[in-house]
Amino acid sequence: MTFQIGIGPNNRKSAYFDATVADGVACFSVYNHMFIPAHFGDPEGEYDALMNGVAMWDVAAQRQVELSGPDAARLIQYLTTRDMSNTRIGQGRYVPMCDHQGRLINDPVLLMLAQDRYWLSIADSDIALWASAIAAERGWDVTVAEPDVSPLAVQGPKAEAVITALFGDWVRDLRYFGFKQTQLGDIPLVLARSGWSKQGGFELYLQDSSRGGELWAMVKAAGAPFGIRPGAPNDVERIESGLVSYGADGRLQTNPCTPYDIGLGKLVDLETPDDFIGKEALRRIADEGAQRERSGFVIAGAPLTGAAHSIPVLDDKGQPRGVLSDYVYSKRFEVNIGVGMIASDAKQASLHVVIGDEARKVTLRSLPFDS
Ligand code: THG
């Protein structure tokens, strides 16, 4: 392909934009109306850093939607399918959000900063609009805003060593998804043990975008002895690990799905007294029994390149029985792997996909691939 995507003013630049350009970013994508590095031109080196060393990623496009005020907790419960009653300050949670038909509209990480102050660290859809409209229509006393917060992920088996070098030994006590308000020098940030990989790591939620270059340089310097490399959320690792990507694996506009379809059914709490958006619809769907489920796929044939864009999975009569939402060639497993959804009654069928002009046999695998 010879065309490019323009770095125009209709999308935002991250606090780390100049730093990633200086460090050789080779490709951007767009997420939450912001440019996000997609890779730095060395897929194998970037994968290796994540699996065996440490990588740093500009994930400022994971925007924060802040809910604050007397009704913030009430709004959080109404927006998410999980029971929020045992949420604690300092402990993050993975909280799917649905529309009134029970269709997934986002899968944020929630950070409870105070009794009346929360961040939704969102995937790629406009949750600030949604949340502020719901709050206003309900007459609830809560302010919805997008604060100046820019997450930077440090991921991989050596991430803890880098973060300890920067912050001190206390970071070892952070639990998975646990976080703490802190500073690096005088740079304000929230430090969390989280990130979109299964290799372990941390996210630094920078609270002053004018200090992005400085923070990037500090992490890079602290990581140098450990071989840190710039990278980006890694498609190969995330498919091997089975992590959900809202947008790729499901999106309201292009590939609508319920939490049950995409493997998040256990995060729908129908037995709680509190109401939440989509609860009635999801109860109906649960009663009827979900029609589809998330699955891994192995795709036969030569190593695949390019992107999936929700390819139909066909049975031997050519009937669509599922969707292949993303795929990669995995060097680790020496086969093409993908994730997607399959009709619950098609799991014994003989399945294939057509990519380019080529029909390829598809077999189902449970997720994650390395289990
Ligand atoms: N970190 C932060 N914000 C984010 C993401 C992130 N916002 C966008 C996107 N990623 C949100 N989606 C996810 C999807 C999966 C996970 C986190 C955010 C994840 N899942 C684990 C799993 O599936 O194994 C654990 C889930 C759980 O505890 O139940 O980590 O990465 N700040």
Side-chain angles (χ1 to χ4, degrees):
M1 286 188 293
T2 53
F3 50 83
Q4 297 176 312
I5 184 168
I7 304 295
N10 56 324
N11 288 303
R12 303 177 281 187
K13 288 183 179 176
S14 131
Y16 313 108
F17 183 87
D18 292 341
T20 60
V21 169
D23 278 351
V25 63
C27 181
F28 283 102
S29 187
V30 174
Y31 193 93
N32 282 321
H33 315 284
M34 180 173 280
F35 298 108
I36 180 169
H39 64 77
F40 285 71
D42 178 11
E44 284 169 36
E46 291 167 40
Y47 177 81
D48 181 65
L50 172 60
M51 301 303 284
N52 302 307
V54 55
M56 58 191 290
W57 304 343
D58 168 4
V59 288
Q62 292 169 2
R63 303 311 295 166
Q64 306 309 297
V65 175
E66 181 173 286
L67 311 185
S68 58
D71 289 328
R74 197 175 179 188
L75 180 57
I76 284 289
Q77 178 59 81
Y78 192 55
L79 291 173
T80 66
T81 61
R82 287 186 82 172
D83 176 12
M84 293 286 99
S85 59
N86 49 6
T87 305
R88 282 176 289 122
I89 295 169
Q91 183 59 41
R93 301 184 77 189
Y94 185 36
V95 294
M97 297 174 59
C98 288
D99 70 4
H100 296 80
Q101 285 106 290
R103 300 175 301 188
L104 191 70
I105 60 165
N106 207 293
D107 65 335
V109 175
L110 174 72
L111 291 84
M112 181 178 183
L113 298 153
Q115 215 63 47
D116 59 354
R117 185 166 165 250
Y118 299 79
W119 286 347
L120 288 166
S121 184
I122 60 170
D124 185 22
S125 72
D126 290 319
I127 293 307
L129 283 174
W130 175 259
S132 58
I134 303 260
E137 292 294 314
R138 296 234 140 204
W140 288 347
D141 186 1
V142 49
T143 302
V144 178
E146 191 190 280
D148 177 7
V149 177
S150 304
L152 172 63
V154 180
Q155 299 287 298
K158 296 181 182 168
E160 188 171 81
V162 176
I163 297 301
T164 304
L166 279 166
F167 291 91
D169 280 329
W170 65 267
V171 304
R172 296 186 193 278
D173 298 331
L174 277 178
R175 301 176 357 152
Y176 185 64
F177 274 167
F179 66 88
K180 215 178 147 179
Q181 176 82 58
T182 182
Q183 293 194 333
L184 202 53
D186 64 347
I187 303 178
L189 55 83
V190 166
L191 177 68
R193 189 188 288 275
S194 56
W196 201 60
S197 85
K198 282 294 195 182
Q199 307 314 311
F202 294 82
E203 291 180 299
L204 289 64
Y205 292 75
L206 169 66
Q207 288 175 283
D208 178 351
S209 54
S210 73
R211 317 284 302 263
E214 260 176 276
L215 182 62
W216 183 270
M218 289 172 87
V219 173
K220 191 175 161 182
F226 305 96
I228 201 166
R229 295 182 54 136
N234 192 287
D235 265 344
V236 176
E237 192 275 345
R238 86 98 183 171
I239 292 175
E240 289 173 351
S241 298
L243 286 175
V244 170
S245 173
Y246 179 81
D249 298 345
R251 181 188 287 287
L252 183 64
Q253 295 84 351
T254 52
N255 184 13
C257 65
T258 71
Y260 300 113
D261 297 334
I262 201 170
L264 300 179
K266 61 185 181 306
L267 305 183
V268 177
D269 289 324
L270 295 172
E271 304 311 322
T272 52
D274 294 306
D275 196 17
F276 60 80
I277 298 172
K279 192 175 191 182
E280 279 313 308
L282 289 166
R283 179 173 287 126
R284 214 164 41 241
I285 293 163
D287 286 348
E288 289 166 5
Q291 305 291 306
R292 299 190 292 177
E293 54 196 81
R294 183 165 170 84
S295 181
F297 297 96
V298 171
I299 307 130
L304 288 162
T305 55
H309 289 280
S310 298
I311 294 171
V313 177
L314 308 168
D315 65 16
D316 49 12
K317 298 190 187 69
Q319 292 301 309
R321 308 307 307 275
V323 180
L324 173 63
S325 53
D326 201 0
Y327 59 66
V328 290
Y329 176 71
S330 167
K331 276 199 126 173
R332 183 172 165 206
F333 300 119
E334 298 182 312
V335 68
N336 297 306
I337 59 173
V339 292
M341 295 175 264
I342 187 76
S344 303
D345 61 2
K347 290 195 285 185
Q348 308 304 325
S350 163
L351 299 167
H352 68 281
V353 290
V354 179
I355 297 175
D357 288 332
E358 201 183 344
R360 292 172 182 250
K361 189 173 170 48
V362 156
T363 45
L364 305 183
R365 279 294 165 78
S366 62
L367 293 169
F369 280 93
D370 60 359
S371 65

